């Protein structure tokens, strides 16, 4: 398999490399940022892309959505976040699988095999939590599009609309219009209310 690892921590990429070497002689590509990951995905014929959600410059959910626009390569999210909201965000953006970094090596390998073969896989405990999820700030955010969530994530990180526009490669007016639409979807009137919902849901 030809696998792309997108994670800003070298130690995580090294650990995945060692794990994969146990089961096969995979050809591994690595990227530290979402933009690097996109460039490699465009240039290489890949069998699987493993993506972290907390990436510099371009967040993981937005990256998954952009990868889905340019390729049908299966995407497995490997994240520190073990909450249903993040699973829903990743799947809605186009990922085929989701595993937290708390998962056992055996479960991680199972996810790699299943998603790499074109199937779907959600870590067992997360799948149970997702099934039991009730109406919460997290579930209200789950209705948003990947780009909406990325804008919220950047707002929660203290970025201005101009900075978000630069990060996403979009115009200021586009970002401002998106913010207005997000407020309408969530039934709030102020940017402060958006930030409150994002923080309550643990969006960061």
């Amino acid at each position: 398999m030809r696998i792309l690892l997108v994670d800003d921590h070298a130690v995580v990429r090294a650990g995945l490399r060692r794990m994969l070497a146990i089961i096969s002689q995979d050809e591994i590509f690595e990227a530290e940022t979402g933009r690097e990951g996109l460039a490699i995905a465009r240039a290489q014929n890949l069998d699987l892309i493993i993506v972290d959600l907390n990436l510099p410059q371009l967040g993981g959910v937005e990256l998954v959505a952009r990868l889905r626009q340019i390729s049908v390569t299966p995407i497995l999210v490997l994240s520190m976040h073990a909450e249903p909201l993040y699973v829903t965000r990743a799947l809605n953006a186009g990922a085929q699988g989701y595993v937290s970094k708390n998962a056992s090596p055996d479960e991680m390998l199972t996810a790699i095999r299943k998603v790499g073969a074109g199937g779907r896989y959600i870590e067992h405990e997360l799948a149970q939590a997702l099934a039991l999820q009730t109406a919460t700030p997290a579930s209200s955010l789950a209705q948003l599009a990947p780009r909406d969530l990325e804008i919220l994530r950047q707002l929660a990180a203290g970025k201005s609309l101009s900075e978000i526009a630069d990060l996403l490669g979009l115009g200021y007016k586009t970002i401002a219009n998106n913010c207005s639409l997000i407020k309408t979807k969530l039934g709030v009137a102020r940017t402060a209310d958006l930030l409150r919902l994002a923080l309550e849901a643990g969006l960061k």
Side-chain angles (χ1 to χ4, degrees):
M1 290 177 67
R2 292 164 59 85
I3 300 175
L4 169 61
L5 309 177
V6 188
D7 195 298
D8 59 334
H9 293 98
V11 67
V12 173
R13 299 195 306 272
L16 285 171
R17 271 184 172 274
R18 287 194 295 271
M19 184 186 301
L20 291 167
I22 295 172
I23 59 172
S24 65
Q25 296 298 316
D26 295 307
E27 185 175 1
I28 308 297
F29 302 88
E30 296 185 22
E32 290 187 30
T33 69
R35 295 189 191 284
E36 289 177 6
L38 273 176
I40 293 172
R42 288 191 177 103
Q44 301 293 336
N45 183 22
L46 300 167
D47 298 301
L48 176 65
I49 303 173
I50 300 176
V51 175
D52 184 21
L53 289 188
N54 282 34
L55 295 170
Q57 300 177 3
L58 186 67
V61 173
E62 177 72 9
L63 172 61
V64 169
R66 294 194 186 190
L67 286 168
R68 187 51 61 237
Q69 290 173 356
I70 66 171
S71 171
V72 295
T73 302
I75 300 169
L76 172 63
V77 170
L78 174 62
S79 173
M80 64 179 286
H81 298 294
E83 295 86 28
L85 166 67
Y86 293 94
V87 181
T88 302
R89 291 171 60 202
L91 298 181
N92 286 346
Q96 281 75 42
Y98 192 106
V99 179
S100 78
K101 291 181 179 179
N102 295 325
S104 69
D106 285 345
E107 185 158 26
M108 182 65 197
L109 288 174
T110 296
I112 289 171
R113 290 190 183 101
K114 287 196 173 182
V115 175
R120 291 181 172 271
Y121 189 88
I122 299 175
E123 182 181 336
H124 181 66
E125 290 187 6
L126 291 177
Q128 287 184 320
L130 197 61
L132 295 172
Q133 182 176 344
T134 56
T136 63
S139 60
S140 67
L141 293 185
Q143 67 179 293
L144 299 180
R147 178 166 293 165
D148 295 339
L149 287 162
E150 179 64 13
I151 290 171
L152 270 188
R153 188 177 80 88
Q154 296 294 350
L155 282 173
K159 296 289 193 303
S160 68
L161 295 187
S162 295
E163 290 172 325
I164 296 171
D166 290 339
L167 282 170
L168 299 184
L170 300 169
Y172 174 86
K173 287 186 177 180
T174 299
I175 298 299
N177 288 339
N178 268 55
C179 278
S180 297
L181 291 173
I182 294 169
K183 291 173 187 175
T184 299
K185 290 177 183 178
L186 297 180
V188 299
R190 304 177 303 161
T191 300
D193 294 321
L194 289 182
L195 294 178
R196 175 181 55 77
L197 287 173
L199 293 172
E200 286 177 358
L203 191 64
K204 57 185 176 179

